[in-house]
Each structure stands twice: as C-alpha cells, then as structure tokens.
Amino acid sequence: MGSRRRPLTKSILDIWAVMAATKKVIGSHHPTSRPTFMAPSKRSVAIRELLDGQPLTRRHLQSKLLDCILDPHGPVVFTNPFKSQELPGDKISFKDLYITSLYRSTKATKVLKDTMTDSGQFAVDFAKLCLATNVGRITTSMSFFPGMKTAIRLYHPVPCLQTTQGNLQDAPRIRHILKGCHVPADNGEDLPSALEEVTARRDQNKFPSTSAVNLIFILSSPKLSIPNLNPTVTESITFSELFTPRQFTSSSRAQLFLWLMYQFLELTPGGLNPFTHPDYPDCSPPLVPMDARSAELENEETEEDKEVLQKLLTQRNDMIRMQARQVTTGKSQAKLDEVEGHVSTPKKGSRNLSKPGAQHSLNGVKSEDGDSSLHTIKHRHSASPIVPASSLNRFSPYPKVSPTPSDMNMLDLAIFPSPKDSKMLRYAWRSISTSDPLGDSDDETYEDTRMEYAHRYQIINRLRARSSAPTLSGL
C-alpha cells in the first residue's frame, strides 16, 4: 500500500503569520532596503458605527480641528494657483486655497458653484465636510440631504454644518468633486500619486506642487506614516488619525496638518516652514496632550445644533411618510385597475401572455346535441371584425383558409386571453390565418413595385431558358 500524505499541522493563517514575521525581521536587519512585504493597516478611520438617521456630531467630525484648519485669519503663505478678482494676491491662506480648489473642480456643478458664491457660510461648511471625506472619515454610503430617496445610502444629518439652505450632496458626489481638483502645475498630466513625485515637482519650482486635495489623498494612505514626526510623540499615529477623537489639542493637530501641507506644497530647499515650532526647528511641531474631559468639551454639541437636528429629522420623517403614501396609492390604484380589468402593459421579456384581470362575456350557443357550448366568446374590449384579404385566381402553394368568426374567437381565447396584451401577435396570427401570403403582392397599387416584380420575373425566365438550369425532375 502507498504511504499516506502527512496531514498539515499548521493552518494558512499560521503560515502567513510566519511569513510576515520573517520578512519583518529581514527588513529590521536591513534598514536601508525596502521590505518586500507590508501588511495593510488594520486601523480604519472611517465612521461606521452610525445607523440610518443618526447624526454626525461635532465629535465625529472633530469640528474644532476643522475650524482651526480653515481659520479665515490663518497665515497667508500658500501660493495662489487661481488668481482672480476675488483673490488677486500671490499668497492666500489654506482656507482660501482649499475652498478655491473645490470651486474650480472640473466635477463641480453650476448649482453648487452658485450656492458657494452666494453663501460664504455654506462654502465653509461644505469645505469642512469635503475635508473629512478627503481624509477618509466619511464613507461612500452616507448621504446628507433629507430628500434622499435611494435605498443604498444612509441618511445622516449634520446639524453643525447644515445651518444654511445649501445642499451638502452625498459622499459619492463629494468624492467625485474632490477627484476633479487640479492646479495649473498639473498641466494636463496625471496627478502625482506618491510623495516622491510631489517633492520632485516642488524641487522643479512648481508651486504648488499639486493640489491640496490630492496631497491629502496621498498622505491619507494607511501604509504611510507621518514623516519627520516630532520625537515627543511616543505613540504611533498616521495622518488620517489626526482627524479622529484623540487626546491631543485641536490647535496642535491643526498646526501639524498645516506644517505637512506647506512642507510638500511650498517649501523650497533651505527655506523655513512658517508652521514650525520654535523649539523644534528640524522636525514637525509637537502634539499637545490633554485630558479626556477637555477633549469632550472641545467638540460639545450646542443648543443650536440640537434645534437644527430636530428640524432635519422632522423633514426626513415627512419625506418618508410622503413616499410611503405615494407607494401605497400606487399599489391601490394598480389593484383597482386589476379588479376593473384594466391590465397594465406586460414588462419587457415577460413570457406570460395572459392576465387574470381580463374579463370575458360568454354567450352560450346551442349545439346539435342541445348542450350549451362556448362557440361565441366576446372580449370585454371589442376588436375590429376580421376581413379576409382578397386574392386573385392563380396558383398558390398555400391552402386558402377562411375560418369562421366563431373559430377565430375560440383560437383567440386559447392563445390571447387578454385583448390588450399582445396586439402585434394577434395581428400576425390573424394575418397568416385569413390571408394568402402571395396574394398581397397582387394587390399592390404602387407602379414602381409592379415594375420591380416584373423585372424579377424576366430574370427568372432568362435563367430558366439556359441549358444549365436544373429541371424539376432533377430536384
């Protein structure tokens, strides 16, 4: 007997763990070489714990942090890539840079641009939600307007950002707008997808080296840690985790964010980053810790937020009730039509040619044995009388069929119980049952058609006159 195979003693997960640990050791012994294996980050910054109808609070969005980043009085140190009458200067703040990038997006609609122009507050609120989407906090299943009708999104009111009448869109549309943000330095080329490409543009004196939106997408990669992080930060933290609830002050996190933006968008070789901390000129600014209670107070809901939330939930409930009434009314009308015999048009691809709603009035006719038979059946919706097509007295390979009206009605009942369902099929069946297919050509009244048939007849006669033409006996 052949020897049995030795059973596996380790599972696939154990093997993967050994491979990962081995490659991790190899990478640690060779710090200059890039490891060939990099496990994806298991920490997700997306907000996933909310159910439909639950609001996005200030704590979810880290509202204080967004306020510090989009501060209208922030340092005016970023290059203005879009000079206009509204922003004529060479340098602008990060707030103006980010909002202008959204406004100039190739995917932004005219309605959105007009709303941003008419309401400066809406432009700031929309920019805050876009920034949260930019770093990965907002998932694509979220929607933010009460009139949402689709079932593949979850409605989440944002009371701290919905103080105006503007439409905050939904997450897929916001992400679509972010993907359309470009700067003149792109020059129609593909957007850089790595920090090395961004720094290469910066070293070529292309300012800004890319759009702020694209740089945030690059830095938000879960496999990328914050470069040149301050040594006072002992715990491991990624760029996107700056926007999660953490026990660091919002102002220090905003300072680190703006330092990274300037570092890769504007900093020239040998230049000074204006967001550098005086005590740490060679690295990123430090993150200032704080206690849990202070962290809660920074993003505490206000009374105005509660009022706005109640208003938004009321609007959403009214919308749901209205949709439910429309659905109920539609079903009731369909049921009523079915009862009355008004059958709707069958769906495309449907094979069911009969409808139970079709009603027929039955007229009994006495047969020879005295029993009542259904010789004559009239549909509720009367059809036009059958008139057999005329034909000439000539040879036809098809037998002449002249069914009686009663026979046709019986055939109609067997194949087409509903008079509204299959008009084209009914017409085709009656045509082939009551007319001679070769008789139609003799009834043509157009002279050109007669000439065409005569020409064809002459050609056939000439072909039959040849010696090589087959005979009927040879077929």
Side-chain angles (χ1 to χ4, degrees), residues 421-432:
D421 286 344
S422 308
K423 292 183 178 180
M424 295 184 65
L425 293 176
R426 179 186 300 279
Y427 175 78
W429 176 256
R430 290 182 176 178
S431 298
I432 65 176

Side-chain angles (χ1 to χ4, degrees), residues 42-61:
K42 295 182 180 180
R43 295 179 295 186
S44 176
V45 299
I47 305 172
R48 301 182 183 276
E49 68 272 12
L50 297 181
L51 301 177
D52 185 40
Q54 293 183 338
L56 286 175
T57 63
R58 291 180 179 269
R59 181 180 177 275
H60 290 129
L61 298 175

Side-chain angles (χ1 to χ4, degrees), residues 116-181:
M116 294 178 67
T117 303
D118 297 339
S119 177
Q121 182 61 42
F122 170 77
V124 175
D125 293 340
F126 184 69
K128 291 178 180 179
L129 189 60
C130 288
L131 184 55
T133 307
N134 207 167
V135 298
R137 288 286 286 164
I138 304 299
T139 62
T140 55
S141 63
M142 293 184 177
S143 180
F144 310 107
F145 53 98
M148 180 198 69
K149 296 182 179 180
T150 178
I152 62 176
R153 306 267 186 269
L154 299 179
Y155 171 67
H156 299 289
V158 193
C160 62
L161 301 181
Q162 290 180 301
T163 57
T164 62
Q165 297 299 323
N167 185 359
L168 290 181
Q169 315 277 331
D170 55 18
R173 289 184 175 89
I174 292 176
R175 192 170 181 84
H176 189 61
I177 293 172
L178 294 174
K179 290 294 184 180
C181 295

Side-chain angles (χ1 to χ4, degrees), residues 99-118:
I99 294 179
T100 306
S101 299
L102 298 176
Y103 183 85
R104 296 298 184 95
S105 172
T106 57
K107 308 300 182 182
T109 62
K110 185 179 183 300
V111 176
L112 176 62
K113 292 181 179 181
D114 293 343
T115 308
M116 294 178 67
T117 303
D118 297 339

Side-chain angles (χ1 to χ4, degrees), residues 169-239:
Q169 315 277 331
D170 55 18
R173 289 184 175 89
I174 292 176
R175 192 170 181 84
H176 189 61
I177 293 172
L178 294 174
K179 290 294 184 180
C181 295
H182 303 276
V183 293
D186 297 332
N187 196 21
E189 302 174 358
D190 293 336
L191 294 177
S193 57
L195 286 179
E196 293 79 5
E197 300 177 15
V198 175
T199 54
R201 285 191 178 189
R202 183 196 61 186
D203 296 341
Q204 296 173 2
N205 295 327
K206 294 182 179 180
F207 303 114
S209 56
T210 185
S211 67
V213 172
N214 185 51
L215 178 59
I216 294 174
F217 274 132
I218 296 174
L219 291 174
S220 299
S221 173
K223 298 181 181 181
L224 185 64
S225 59
I226 297 179
N228 203 11
L229 187 62
N230 194 285
T232 59
V233 182
T234 57
E235 64 176 291
S236 175
I237 183 174
T238 62
F239 175 80

Side-chain angles (χ1 to χ4, degrees), residues 276-447:
T276 302
H277 194 275
D279 298 337
Y280 302 96
D282 299 329
C283 62
S284 66
L287 293 175
V288 180
M290 64 177 178
D291 58 273
R293 178 56 182 167
S294 300
E296 293 179 1
L297 293 177
E298 271 195 344
N299 297 285
E300 189 176 14
E301 299 294 313
T302 63
E303 292 297 328
E304 183 181 1
D305 294 340
K306 297 177 182 178
E307 295 176 0
V308 173
L309 174 60
Q310 187 62 36
K311 178 181 177 181
L312 293 173
L313 292 178
T314 302
Q315 292 179 0
R316 179 61 180 169
N317 292 335
D318 293 342
M319 176 64 66
I320 293 176
R321 292 192 187 96
M322 183 178 66
Q323 293 179 3
R325 285 196 298 269
Q326 291 176 353
V327 173
T328 304
T329 304
K331 291 183 178 180
S332 300
Q333 184 64 33
K335 186 66 176 178
L336 181 61
D337 293 343
E338 182 179 354
V339 172
E340 293 181 353
H342 300 283
V343 183
S344 59
T345 304
K347 296 182 179 179
K348 184 178 180 181
S350 175
R351 295 178 178 270
N352 186 12
L353 301 179
S354 62
K355 296 291 182 178
Q359 297 180 358
H360 308 277
S361 59
L362 309 180
N363 296 332
V365 179
K366 294 292 183 178
S367 59
E368 294 180 357
D369 55 358
D371 295 335
S372 176
S373 62
L374 301 180
H375 250 356
T376 304
I377 301 178
K378 297 182 180 180
H379 293 291
R380 186 176 184 271
H381 302 277
S382 60
S384 58
I386 303 173
V387 180
S390 61
S391 59
L392 300 179
N393 295 327
R394 62 172 177 77
F395 171 76
S396 173
Y398 300 94
K400 295 183 179 180
V401 180
S402 299
T404 62
S406 59
D407 295 336
M408 281 301 303
N409 288 333
M410 288 293 293
L411 192 59
D412 289 342
L413 178 63
I415 302 180
F416 309 106
S418 176
K420 276 192 172 184
D421 286 344
S422 308
K423 292 183 178 180
M424 295 184 65
L425 293 176
R426 179 186 300 279
Y427 175 78
W429 176 256
R430 290 182 176 178
S431 298
I432 65 176
S433 302
T434 61
S435 63
D436 182 4
L438 297 182
D440 296 339
S441 59
D442 298 325
D443 297 334
E444 294 287 349
T445 59
Y446 298 103
E447 186 64 25

Side-chain angles (χ1 to χ4, degrees), residues 24-87:
K24 184 177 180 181
V25 172
I26 294 176
S28 62
H29 283 291
H30 301 276
T32 57
S33 63
R34 298 184 62 182
T36 57
F37 177 81
M38 181 178 292
S41 176
K42 295 182 180 180
R43 295 179 295 186
S44 176
V45 299
I47 305 172
R48 301 182 183 276
E49 68 272 12
L50 297 181
L51 301 177
D52 185 40
Q54 293 183 338
L56 286 175
T57 63
R58 291 180 179 269
R59 181 180 177 275
H60 290 129
L61 298 175
Q62 292 296 284
S63 177
K64 183 63 176 179
L65 171 62
L66 300 179
D67 291 339
C68 294
I69 292 175
L70 300 177
D71 184 9
H73 306 291
V76 183
V77 294
F78 293 92
T79 301
N80 183 6
F82 312 104
K83 290 186 178 181
S84 60
Q85 295 181 355
E86 293 78 10
L87 295 173

